[in-house]
Amino acid sequence: MRNDTRLLFNAYLARQAELNGVTNATAKFSVAPTVEQKLEDRIRESADFLKLINVVPVDQQSGEKLGLGISQPAAGRTDTSQNDRQPRNLVALDSRDYTAIQTNFDTAIKYSQLDAWAKFPDFQVRVRNQTTQQIARDRLMIGWNGQTAAANTDLLANPLLQDVNIGWLKHIRTDAPARVMDGVKIGNAAGADYKTFDAAVFDAVNELLDQWHAEASDLVVIVGRQLLNDKYLGLLNSADAPTEKVALQTLMLSRTIGGKQAISVPYFPPRSILITSPDNLSIYWQNGTRRRMIQDNPKRDRIEDFQSVNEAYVVEDLGKAALIDGIELPSTEQDGWA
């Protein structure tokens, strides 16, 4: 890197060391609690959908899920001459555990990129934002596509981070298969299960959700990208948004589906529909587990930022989630469904 860039980079290292109370940011260190929380806040602010869900710290690596949100009604009556009144626990009744596992977010920035940023007064912010924005993208990919937590991940085989952690949809498929419709045919063709998306969503809401959630005002319909065209759902309100903005933006569709607001979230499976409330989905990150090291690697003409934190993806109340998976649409080319 250029000499002027080197001065800026050294100042960045000194600032990171100062913030975290260490003498050297190029040796592995534990991120200070206040810095850890600020970093989590910045990651959450980087993606629209992360602002809508729960991204919460937990103290234990493993434990019972927090049960955020309301899972059942509270109203009732008891003949106290015969029985005691029984208060209800309003959090989710199923006692499912979470395990926060280490996730590495290791990134690199080429010297040439740092040299290009050196002329800007917000050099340190640009270096920081590259990492936080990618962590936000990665969390969306894992939440929607995560299938396993492999000891050694393979990005080439799993380009949507399917092997990094178990995501929300996998939890629904595994822990609540009765709340999943799979291989549903939707369209105006022979053999259709439903003629319209409205009918499919209406049926899923009434048949798959717990009854007290079916009329909840905070339910949304999250729709896959292959369903987003004018033949099926109408045009996006934000179709002209810049590519970089769309990469982290939750798009509000121009119509409701089954009476619920429809939205499109980055990296959601292309042929699926999820009905839930955003705050029924959580990412737990374990306090005090974020580790970091920044190093200069002249052998690769880049700086490298090694970060890790323990995290888990949790569906708080499975009774408030319905998944329509593997949707098939009429195909003129195949003269059937695809």
Side-chain angles (χ1 to χ4, degrees):
M1 69 180 78
R2 297 194 314 255
N3 288 344
D4 60 328
T5 308
R6 172 65 63 187
L7 293 174
L8 292 171
F9 177 62
N10 287 344
Y12 174 75
L13 290 177
R15 180 58 175 162
Q16 295 307 309
E18 177 188 6
L19 289 172
N20 289 282
V22 297
T23 57
N24 184 3
T26 63
K28 192 171 184 179
F29 60 91
S30 297
V31 177
T34 55
V35 177
E36 186 175 39
Q37 184 61 62
K38 286 180 180 178
L39 179 58
E40 286 292 339
D41 291 343
R42 290 190 181 104
I43 294 168
R44 189 175 187 184
E45 289 298 314
S46 295
D48 288 347
F49 193 71
L50 295 182
K51 301 175 191 175
L52 303 178
I53 69 172
N54 311 299
V55 182
V56 293
V58 293
D59 292 328
Q60 303 300 320
Q61 183 173 11
S62 298
E64 191 169 318
K65 65 182 179 59
L66 300 181
L68 304 173
I70 303 299
S71 69
Q72 61 175 321
R77 186 175 293 106
T78 300
D79 182 353
T80 54
S81 66
Q82 304 292 326
N83 299 291
D84 293 340
R85 291 167 62 174
Q86 297 294 327
R88 295 192 185 112
N89 186 349
L90 297 183
V91 303
L93 297 175
D94 56 325
S95 98
R96 288 176 292 115
D97 293 339
Y98 73 87
T99 299
I101 60 175
Q102 179 176 321
T103 304
N104 299 333
F105 297 100
D106 302 333
T107 58
I109 306 176
K110 298 289 289 184
Y111 288 167
S112 57
Q113 182 64 70
L114 293 173
D115 288 338
W117 288 342
K119 63 184 177 182
F120 296 104
D122 61 345
F123 174 83
Q124 294 194 19
V125 173
R126 289 170 183 260
V127 174
R128 179 197 72 200
N129 286 351
Q130 175 158 303
T131 301
T132 56
Q133 289 175 2
Q134 189 56 52
I135 293 175
R137 291 187 188 93
D138 290 352
R139 282 181 165 175
L140 291 175
M141 288 187 209
I142 297 166
W144 298 133
N145 300 282
Q147 301 291 316
T148 61
N152 292 289
T153 58
D154 184 344
L155 184 59
L156 291 179
N158 299 282
L160 294 176
L161 308 181
Q162 294 95 323
D163 58 349
V164 174
N165 208 333
I166 299 174
W168 302 306
L169 300 188
K170 178 63 174 178
H171 280 301
I172 296 171
R173 296 183 188 112
T174 302
D175 300 336
R179 302 187 189 278
V180 180
M181 293 182 182
D182 197 14
V184 174
K185 296 180 174 67
I186 303 177
N188 191 18
D193 297 300
Y194 301 97
K195 298 296 185 183
T196 66
F197 287 95
D198 292 280
V201 168
F202 183 84
D203 197 25
V205 167
N206 287 283
E207 296 298 326
L208 302 184
L209 297 183
D210 285 341
Q211 186 174 0
W212 48 80
H213 289 315
E215 296 300 325
S217 60
D218 57 350
L219 290 177
V220 298
V221 178
I222 304 172
V223 187
R225 69 178 183 277
Q226 286 186 6
L227 311 179
L228 300 180
N229 59 61
D230 53 359
K231 181 176 180 181
Y232 299 107
L233 292 179
L235 298 175
L236 291 175
N237 292 335
S238 303
D240 58 346
T243 302
E244 179 63 20
K245 188 175 182 181
V246 170
L248 290 166
Q249 184 181 41
T250 297
L251 301 177
M252 307 301 289
L253 303 188
S254 57
R255 55 166 288 187
T256 61
I257 306 177
K260 310 297 182 184
Q261 176 65 55
I263 65 176
S264 172
V265 183
Y267 309 112
F268 189 78
R271 289 292 188 95
S272 297
I273 292 175
L274 175 65
I275 304 136
T276 191
S277 61
D279 65 1
N280 194 35
L281 306 176
S282 299
I283 298 175
Y284 296 172
W285 56 273
Q286 187 184 359
N287 274 319
T289 62
R290 189 175 293 277
R291 304 289 184 266
R292 190 178 186 191
M293 182 183 74
I294 307 168
Q295 74 175 17
D296 184 359
N297 186 354
K299 294 180 181 180
R300 301 294 298 274
D301 290 328
R302 68 189 190 184
I303 65 165
E304 298 167 343
D305 188 349
F306 296 89
Q307 295 192 41
S308 65
V309 66
N310 293 355
E311 59 183 22
Y313 295 74
V314 177
V315 181
E316 297 291 346
D317 184 357
L318 290 169
K320 201 179 182 181
L323 178 61
I324 308 175
D325 220 4
I327 294 171
E328 296 184 41
L329 303 173
S331 172
T332 55
E333 295 181 0
Q334 299 182 25
D335 194 25
W337 297 87

